[in-house]
Amino acid sequence: MNARPEVCVFIATSLDGFIARPDGSPQGGIDWLLERHAAAPPGEDFGYAAFMAGVDALVMGRKTFDTALGFDPWPYAGTPVHVMTRQRSLAVPAARQADVRLRHESPGALLAALAAEGVRRVYLDGGELIQAFLREELVDRLTLTTVPVLIGQGRRLWGALPADRAWALQAVRHWPVGFVQTTYRRLRPGAEGAVAAA
Ligand SMILES: NC(=O)c1ccc[n+]([C@@H]2O[C@H](COP(=O)([O-])OP(=O)(O)OC[C@H]3O[C@@H](n4cnc5c(N)ncnc54)[C@H](OP(=O)(O)O)[C@@H]3O)[C@@H](O)[C@H]2O)c1
């Protein structure tokens, strides 16, 4: 049996923990992020390309997909994108049909299917979806980029959990534009002594 793929999150939040404005606009509700990003030196991507180079597939929530459809060029070229939705009749624009598959399985069943296809590392994106995977203990690594702006309200990254989830800090980076990036690896129960080896 294949082990499930490693599941990695790479996401930006406001200082008050939101990933997007409540109504998903303007610009997918991430105008505050894009504005600060634009103030960085040209070509600075805050580790994104290096992260993308290490993943075999994306799994994203349908609402994140709605935002991604507005990106030009398509930012995930060459990496298969699996969009989780509970809608049976969601239409994918013709230009994206070769890149995207709609998925209706549970998180665990989807990961098992991807493992069977040879996927070893997944980039998981979308707040609701990340919360769903966290509830089922299916997230292995978190890279969080904190943007120094309070937006007051919005779509949350974090949600209710049935129990605590502990993490080992792996890296901290920061940039003059004010972004602070922390990377964590999941500590499995009883594995606290393995922090250095994580
Ligand atoms: N700051 C950042 O770095 C960042 C990154 C990504 C996205 N965003 C922003 O965040 C917003 C989207 O995030 P979000 O938290 O609102 O939504 P999301 O997680 O992207 O999408 C939620 C949708 O995914 C589907 N879904 C969720 N859990 C599911 C499950 N267990 N099984 C099947 N389908 C499931 C449902 O789609 P259906 O309703 O179709 O059933 C649900 O409505 C957008 O505004 C986007 O621009 C920001």
Side-chain angles (χ1 to χ4, degrees), residues 10-14 18-25 27-30 32-33 60-68 71 76 83-87 90 103-107 123 125-133 135-136 145 155-157:
F10 188 105
I11 199 162
T13 74
S14 64
F18 298 109
I19 60 166
R21 296 194 192 279
D23 56 358
S25 72
Q27 296 175 290
I30 55 171
W32 49 276
L33 165 61
M60 67 172 60
R62 191 268 307 161
K63 293 177 185 170
T64 295
F65 179 54
D66 287 347
T67 294
F71 294 148
Y76 317 115
V83 177
M84 289 188 74
T85 177
R86 298 184 179 93
Q87 301 177 57
L90 190 66
R103 309 297 304 225
H104 306 285
E105 303 99 316
S106 67
Y123 171 9
D125 205 11
E128 283 182 41
L129 209 58
I130 291 166
Q131 291 175 31
F133 277 64
R135 279 194 295 275
E136 297 188 33
T145 305
R155 301 188 185 190
R156 296 185 180 282
L157 176 56

Side-chain angles (χ1 to χ4, degrees), residues 120-177:
R120 296 176 61 183
R121 187 177 291 151
V122 161
Y123 171 9
L124 178 67
D125 205 11
E128 283 182 41
L129 209 58
I130 291 166
Q131 291 175 31
F133 277 64
L134 281 170
R135 279 194 295 275
E136 297 188 33
E137 300 210 63
L138 293 173
V139 181
D140 302 297
R141 191 189 298 203
L142 296 170
T143 299
L144 309 174
T145 305
T146 305
V147 179
V149 57
L150 298 166
I151 63 171
Q153 58 181 339
R155 301 188 185 190
R156 296 185 180 282
L157 176 56
W158 311 120
L161 291 167
D164 293 354
R165 302 279 185 261
W167 301 81
L169 179 66
Q170 290 214 297
V172 180
R173 300 176 70 191
H174 60 89
W175 288 265
V177 72

